[in-house]
Amino acid sequence: MYQETTGREFPEYFSEKGPLQTKITPISFGNDVYWMSSLLYKQNEPFNTVTLRPYDDNDTELVNCEEIDDDYDIILTKTGKFTTSFYVPSSLLSYIVGTKATKLRNLEKTTNTQIKVPKPNEKGNVKIIGDTERRVASARTQINMIVMQRKDKLPVSHFVSIPMVSESIKDKFEKFKREILQNPARGVTESIFQNPEKLHLTITTLTLVDEEEINTAKTVLNTCYEEIISKIFDKNKKSRIRLNGLEIMNDDPYDVNVLYGNVEMEDIEKLRRVADTVVGYFRKSGLTKKQYDKVKLHVTLMNTNFRRPEERRETFDADDILKKYKNYFFGEVEFKNIHLSVRFTGNDQYYDSILVLDIDK
């Protein structure tokens, strides 16, 4: 319930029923006369001026509201209440509840809802109950924002990938690497080159906190394949992806963090549709957020994030590399499968996968 205020902040006409009393005032403007209509209030009724405090957001990182999942069900119960439920990893529940449940109580108060949260170390869904759909949706959106902000502080654990590893690509990549290291430009060291056994096209990255989210991710990718991807490519025709030419992730070739290879295909729109569809399914599941309107198809070849811990973090000069190898053809690979890969695994071979979808089956 809304709390009543001790003093009247607005004139009575904001709550009165029936026609509102108005006052018509003539206003001269040049040779014309205009009429202004205004509301009347009783002379003995104070009209208090309310001064709002400046907006102060304690969170240093703001979330784009467009990234918030809004594709979910709000159910009308037999009692006339509205409800929705959804999974939140147990390790993140404390950020919703807060110290001595103060954050949870404040959330319930501001949204006029009842929020049921599983106990610590207990699995289950967060359940929201309210008198209107709007209140329930507001509470869920705020909880989603809290969860998303916390996840943004955690490292990426998994990613959806297409392996770009073939003998021809590995050989040409090694040649590319050797030639550059013969006379390296500023910031170029062997450590920033990708391992040729791990060359891949990234479709989307994921931060999966527990086994429940891992299982959900597998289900999402399987569903996406069955409903959309399996119908895009002709199973009787082999598709090949080419790695051809170089680009950078910024506009200054002298100050680069990431250099990548361009992806080409006979029917590149089909590959783009696959990538965008996968991202869409994961976004609707709440496991990832919208980052770009379209997926940028690329294969990372050099990245300053690959530097060893003891190395100084710095950008590199890619100007000469781009001029010499801008149209360098690395080779091609048959498009056979899509992997749900585990980051930081595989050692000197391709990443471990928790799910592999075969395109030609």
Side-chain angles (χ1 to χ4, degrees):
M1 297 291 292
Y2 289 112
Q3 288 188 338
E4 294 184 1
T5 56
T6 54
R8 190 179 297 155
E9 302 293 341
F10 300 100
E12 249 178 31
Y13 52 68
F14 278 103
S15 58
E16 285 180 346
K17 295 181 179 179
L20 297 175
Q21 294 181 345
T22 58
K23 175 183 177 182
I24 307 298
T25 306
I27 299 176
S28 298
F29 189 79
N31 296 324
D32 298 318
V33 176
Y34 296 87
W35 301 90
M36 180 179 71
S37 176
S38 57
L39 293 172
L40 285 175
Y41 62 91
K42 300 170 186 177
Q43 293 299 321
N44 60 350
E45 181 180 354
F47 188 77
N48 298 331
T49 300
V50 180
T51 304
L52 297 177
R53 292 181 302 167
Y55 176 73
D56 181 22
D57 194 332
N58 292 324
D59 292 318
T60 56
E61 298 180 14
L62 298 180
V63 173
N64 185 347
C65 290
E66 291 183 357
E67 299 168 351
I68 301 298
D69 170 40
D70 58 1
D71 185 19
Y72 54 81
D73 293 325
I74 296 178
I75 300 168
L76 177 62
T77 65
K78 292 180 180 179
T79 61
K81 299 282 188 179
F82 292 89
T83 183
T84 187
S85 65
F86 54 102
Y87 179 77
V88 174
S90 58
S91 60
L92 300 179
L93 290 174
S94 61
Y95 298 105
I96 300 170
V97 176
T99 306
K100 295 183 179 179
T102 52
K103 200 167 187 177
L104 180 63
R105 286 197 295 269
N106 184 58
L107 189 57
E108 288 180 317
K109 181 179 177 181
T110 56
T111 60
N112 246 339
T113 59
Q114 180 185 3
I115 303 171
K116 297 181 179 180
V117 177
K119 294 178 181 179
N121 302 319
E122 233 181 41
K123 285 189 176 181
N125 287 349
V126 172
K127 187 175 182 180
I128 304 171
I129 304 169
D131 294 329
T132 67
E133 286 182 282
R134 182 183 293 273
R135 291 172 182 173
V136 171
S138 174
R140 177 157 178 165
T141 297
Q142 292 187 52
I143 291 174
N144 282 341
M145 290 176 68
I146 293 169
V147 172
M148 190 177 292
Q149 285 178 328
R150 299 314 306 179
K151 275 196 167 187
D152 281 345
K153 299 178 185 296
L154 300 175
V156 169
S157 60
H158 297 73
F159 58 99
V160 180
S161 71
I162 298 174
M164 290 294 294
V165 181
S166 69
E167 291 305 316
S168 62
I169 289 179
K170 287 192 293 183
D171 290 345
K172 293 294 289 289
F173 179 75
E174 289 286 12
K175 180 176 182 292
F176 165 78
K177 176 180 172 181
R178 283 196 306 271
E179 291 178 359
I180 290 174
L181 289 176
Q182 285 176 1
N183 186 24
R186 179 194 63 80
V188 175
T189 61
E190 186 175 4
S191 63
I192 68 173
F193 287 85
Q194 175 65 283
N195 183 331
E197 296 290 345
K198 295 181 179 293
L199 290 169
H200 65 277
L201 189 162
T202 301
I203 294 178
T204 189
T205 57
L206 304 165
T207 301
L208 306 178
V209 178
D210 58 15
E211 200 65 33
E212 184 78 19
E213 287 199 327
I214 290 173
N215 289 333
T216 300
K218 287 158 55 172
T219 300
V220 169
L221 190 55
N222 263 319
T223 303
C224 180
Y225 174 77
E226 291 169 3
E227 294 180 352
I228 306 293
I229 299 174
S230 62
K231 300 175 177 64
I232 294 178
F233 289 96
D234 184 353
K235 293 179 174 57
N236 297 318
K237 181 182 177 181
K238 292 183 178 180
S239 301
R240 304 192 73 81
I241 304 174
R242 297 184 296 275
L243 189 57
N244 187 26
L246 301 177
E247 292 287 348
I248 55 176
M249 286 292 186
N250 62 313
D251 298 325
D252 187 355
Y254 299 98
D255 192 34
V256 175
N257 278 308
V258 178
L259 182 142
Y260 62 88
N262 290 318
V263 172
E264 298 176 351
M265 198 176 189
E266 185 177 335
D267 194 345
I268 194 66
E269 289 307 316
K270 287 185 177 180
L271 188 59
R272 287 198 179 102
R273 186 184 171 196
V274 168
D276 291 338
T277 301
V278 168
V279 171
Y281 269 67
F282 275 103
R283 183 169 175 259
K284 286 181 180 179
S285 74
L287 291 178
T288 190
K289 62 183 181 181
K290 183 179 179 180
Q291 295 176 317
Y292 308 100
D293 290 333
K294 298 290 183 181
V295 176
K296 174 66 177 176
L297 300 177
H298 70 282
V299 177
T300 298
L301 304 175
M302 300 169 69
N303 191 332
T304 56
N305 280 333
F306 297 159
R307 291 195 191 279
R308 299 185 185 92
E310 65 271 15
E311 290 185 87
R312 182 170 68 92
R313 179 68 189 275
E314 64 172 330
T315 59
F316 66 95
D317 181 352
D319 186 59
D320 287 339
I321 299 173
L322 288 170
K323 288 176 180 176
K324 185 175 181 179
Y325 299 96
K326 185 157 185 72
N327 298 312
Y328 187 82
F329 180 66
F330 288 89
E332 61 180 25
V333 62
E334 185 179 344
F335 180 26
K336 292 183 177 180
N337 40 51
I338 298 175
H339 292 228
L340 185 47
S341 305
V342 184
R343 199 179 177 201
F344 305 126
T345 61
N347 295 324
D348 289 328
Q349 56 187 5
Y350 197 72
Y351 302 91
D352 295 343
S353 298
I354 59 174
L355 179 67
V356 177
L357 297 176
D358 294 324
I359 298 300
D360 54 356
K361 288 185 180 181

